[in-house]
Amino acid sequence: MQLFCYDPDAGRYIHLTNTSPLDRIKKAVNRGYNVLATSSSFWKARFLDMSGSPITT
């Protein structure tokens, strides 16, 4: 499973390899993280392509 989270500082979704960036990204206590998880290489590539992020493995 791979995690992706919207980073408002970067203005795009980022690939999370650990959860430490969530403390910085999480701004409001009453909202979610905007986190997506997938184990599908198809959806990973599609999601990163749509968000303009580089595809990493």
Side-chain angles (χ1 to χ4, degrees), residues 2-4 6 9 12-13 16 18 21 25 27 31 33 35 42-44 47 49 52 54-57:
Q2 296 190 23
L3 295 174
F4 301 89
Y6 184 77
D9 293 338
R12 62 182 175 87
Y13 281 87
L16 295 176
N18 64 61
I25 293 168
K27 303 282 188 205
R31 296 186 183 157
Y33 286 118
V35 174
F42 170 81
W43 284 111
K44 176 188 172 190
F47 177 70
D49 184 50
I55 297 174
T56 59
T57 56

Side-chain angles (χ1 to χ4, degrees), residues 5 8 24-25 29-30 37 40:
C5 180
R24 178 183 56 80
I25 293 168
V29 296
N30 61 342
S40 165

Side-chain angles (χ1 to χ4, degrees), residues 3 6-7 10 13 17 20 22 27 36-37 41 50-51 54-55 57:
L3 295 174
Y6 184 77
D7 182 347
Y13 281 87
T17 55
S20 63
L22 293 178
K27 303 282 188 205
L36 300 163
S41 59
M50 288 187 301
S51 70
I55 297 174
T57 56

